[in-house]
Structure formats: structure tokens, C-alpha cells
């Protein structure tokens, strides 16, 4: 498994390099966004780890460019910026996971293996098109339509919708959504999951008579089609 690490803090980059090699990964290092982009577009990597604040090209822009060309390559963002808005920006750029510095290398290993396992299962078992009620999700083209109207979603909104469709008509707790969609645990006091649920609800429910996302106060959410009254 070949991992690209883009990190301008050379001491941290060295620690990640050494740690991943000890875990059996092949690792390539880049110390700025421009060289990282060159490597990403000229080699095949199984996973990319990138800082957000980088010389020459930011991690956010880099992530967007990589995901446009290689949508199935998992990207983990490393950053000292840990607010909800910062995380939303990273996930909207296409990041699959987000780790705030300082972090434990053992947690990084767990995140990497979880992402790779999930990607392999997705590529092996998922049909390209899922239809529920009047909503259609196409994984190959990364498009969503409802009643024939195309709805533009960010990569993370798309993944959230996909998970909710897979678990339609079931109660989904915030913790479960965080673990399954983001492969991580969020502080129960955060509103991060609610922020994304609201983003998704505005796009797939707001302009339609029937609602698909329903909130169960104190419990979580249910993705369910209900005939309008």
C-alpha cells in the first residue's frame, strides 16, 4: 500500500514516514502543496495524507484537485484548525477524514485502515445506482436527482445521503452517523452532525412537498418517505 504524505513540518513528516513504514506501508513525502500535487498526478497512491496550511498550494485546493481526478483515493487532512467550520471546509473539499494536531500516530493507523477497508467494500459490493422514492443516487457519476431535478451535493453530503439511504426507515443516532460516515468519534456536545444534516435537508427536502429527513428529538434522525398530507 502506497501512501503520499504532504506536510511542511519536516519533523512531523519524518515521524509519520517512520511510523507508517513500520506498519508496512510504502511512503512518499512532499513538503509543499505544489510538489505534492505533482506527485499525486504522476503516481498511483492508495491514500493521501495532507496538511491544510501548506506552502505554494493549500491543502484545501489540493484536495479539490485530487478528488476531481481521483475521486476514489481516500484523503486524510491534518491541521491545527479544529473548529466545526474548519472541519466542514475540509470535508466539503473532499476529505474523507480529518485529524487535529497534535494527534496520536496509533489513531492515524486506525483511521487509515478503516478508510481502506471501507473503500474496498464500496468498490466491490455497491451497485452504481440507488433509487428510493423519487430520489436517485448515481455513484459512478456522483449525481443525485429528485423528481428528475438534479441536486448538487458536496462529497461529504453525498456520503451522508448514501449512508442514510442504505439505512432508510431506521433511527440513526448522531454517534452512529459520525462513526459510519466520518469513521471517527465526535464529542457529544458538538453540533457538527446537525450542521451537515441541515445542509442536506435544505438541498433534498426544501423545494419538495414530501420530506425524507426526519428529526427525532433527543434520539437522532430517520430517512423515510412519507406521503404529503
Amino acid at each position: 500500500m502506497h501512501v503520499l504524505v504532504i506536510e511542511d513540518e519536516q519533523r512531523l513528516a519524518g515521524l509519520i514516514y517512520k511510523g507508517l513504514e513500520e506498519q508496512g506501508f510504502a511512503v512518499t513525502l512532499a513538503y509543499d502543496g505544489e510538489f505534492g500535487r505533482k506527485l499525486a498526478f504522476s503516481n498511483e497512491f492508495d491514500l493521501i495524507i495532507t496538511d491544510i496550511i501548506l506552502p505554494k498550494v493549500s491543502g484545501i485546493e489540493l484536495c479539490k484537485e485530487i478528488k476531481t481526478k481521483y475521486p476514489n483515493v481516500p484523503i486524510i487532512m491534518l491541521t491545527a484548525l479544529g473548529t466545526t467550520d474548519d472541519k466542514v471546509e475540509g470535508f466539503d473539499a473532499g476529505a474523507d477524514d480529518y485529524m487535529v494536531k497534535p494527534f496520536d500516530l496509533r489513531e492515524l493507523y486506525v483511521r487509515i485502515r478503516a478508510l481502506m477497508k471501507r473503500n474496498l467494500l464500496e468498490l466491490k459490493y455497491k451497485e452504481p445506482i440507488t433509487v428510493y422514492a423519487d430520489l436517485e443516487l448515481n455513484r459512478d457519476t456522483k449525481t443525485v436527482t429528485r423528481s428528475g431535478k438534479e441536486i448538487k451535493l458536496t462529497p461529504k453530503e453525498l456520503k451522508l445521503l448514501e449512508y442514510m439511504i442504505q439505512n432508510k426507515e431506521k433511527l440513526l443516532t448522531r454517534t452512529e452517523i459520525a462513526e459510519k460516515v466520518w469513521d471517527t468519534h465526535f464529542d457529544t456536545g458538538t453540533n457538527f452532525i446537525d450542521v451537515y444534516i441541515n445542509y442536506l435537508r435544505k438541498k433534498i427536502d426544501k423545494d419538495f412537498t414530501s420530506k425524507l429527513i426526519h428529526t427525532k428529538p433527543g434520539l437522532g434522525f430517520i430517512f423515510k418517505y412519507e406521503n404529503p398530507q
Side-chain angles (χ1 to χ4, degrees), residues 7 13 29 36 47 53 56 72 78 98-99 126 128-129 138 157 193-194 220 223-225:
E7 170 61 63
L29 287 180
L47 181 136
I53 302 174
K56 299 182 180 179
N72 294 320
L78 308 178
Y98 193 112
M99 296 189 68
K126 289 184 179 177
I129 297 176
N138 188 315
E157 290 167 353
I193 301 301
D194 296 79
F223 192 85
K224 180 179 180 180
Y225 177 79

Side-chain angles (χ1 to χ4, degrees), residues 49-85:
I49 300 170
T50 180
D51 194 1
I52 286 184
I53 302 174
L54 291 167
K56 299 182 180 179
V57 179
S58 76
I60 295 293
E61 291 305 313
L62 190 60
C63 186
K64 290 177 181 177
E65 292 181 27
I66 293 172
K67 281 293 186 177
T68 297
K69 187 172 182 180
Y70 305 111
N72 294 320
V73 175
I75 296 178
I76 298 176
M77 282 193 168
L78 308 178
T79 182
L81 309 173
T83 69
T84 296
D85 287 343

Side-chain angles (χ1 to χ4, degrees), residues 1 3 19-26 46-47 49 74 76 97 99 105-121 183:
M1 180 174 168
V3 179
L20 291 180
E21 278 207 327
E22 290 176 351
Q23 293 292 314
F25 299 107
D46 298 292
L47 181 136
I49 300 170
I76 298 176
D97 208 344
M99 296 189 68
L105 283 175
R106 291 172 298 179
E107 183 179 356
L108 177 60
Y109 307 150
V110 171
R111 301 280 188 96
I112 289 173
R113 297 191 187 282
L115 281 175
M116 295 310 301
K117 181 179 179 180
R118 187 187 71 191
N119 259 34
L120 288 173
L121 289 173
D183 291 309

Side-chain angles (χ1 to χ4, degrees), residues 156-195:
K156 219 61 190 180
E157 290 167 353
L158 188 68
K159 195 169 289 292
L160 173 58
L161 175 61
E162 184 177 355
Y163 180 71
M164 297 189 86
I165 293 175
Q166 289 173 344
N167 295 275
K168 56 186 179 293
E169 301 175 15
K170 297 178 183 178
L171 177 67
L172 300 175
T173 65
R174 290 167 176 80
T175 299
E176 182 180 359
I177 292 171
E179 291 176 355
K180 301 300 183 181
V181 179
W182 279 270
D183 291 309
T184 190
H185 296 270
F186 287 99
D187 188 320
T188 54
T190 185
N191 67 341
F192 188 83
I193 301 301
D194 296 79
V195 168

